[in-house]
Amino acid sequence: MARFVETEHYTQLKHHASWAATIIEQGLPTPDIETIAKGLMAQYPSHRPSIPANLARYF
């Protein structure tokens, strides 16, 4: 996850789905990917972003 947030993909994600970036940023201090994943999945149904295909794989 730490590597992902340093990529251009993450920058694009912040632009297209800021809610997801916020959840990721909140979870970064503790590298618990399961907690981050659960937070993203919980919000995804009501916040479906219109994101490019190259970012969709992260969801």
Side-chain angles (χ1 to χ4, degrees), residues 1 3-4 7-8 10-11 13 15-16 19 22 26 28 32 36-37 39 43-44 49 51-52 54 56:
M1 184 60 68
R3 287 186 202 173
F4 172 64
T7 67
E8 179 61 27
Y10 183 69
T11 303
L13 178 67
H15 176 71
H16 293 285
W19 63 269
T22 299
Q26 290 171 346
L28 280 178
D32 184 0
I36 294 171
Q43 293 299 314
Y44 187 73
I51 58 176
N54 66 323

Side-chain angles (χ1 to χ4, degrees), residues 30-54:
T30 58
D32 184 0
I33 195 71
E34 290 294 322
T35 300
I36 294 171
K38 287 177 185 175
L40 291 171
M41 289 188 306
Q43 293 299 314
Y44 187 73
S46 60
H47 291 84
R48 291 183 185 266
S50 175
I51 58 176
N54 66 323

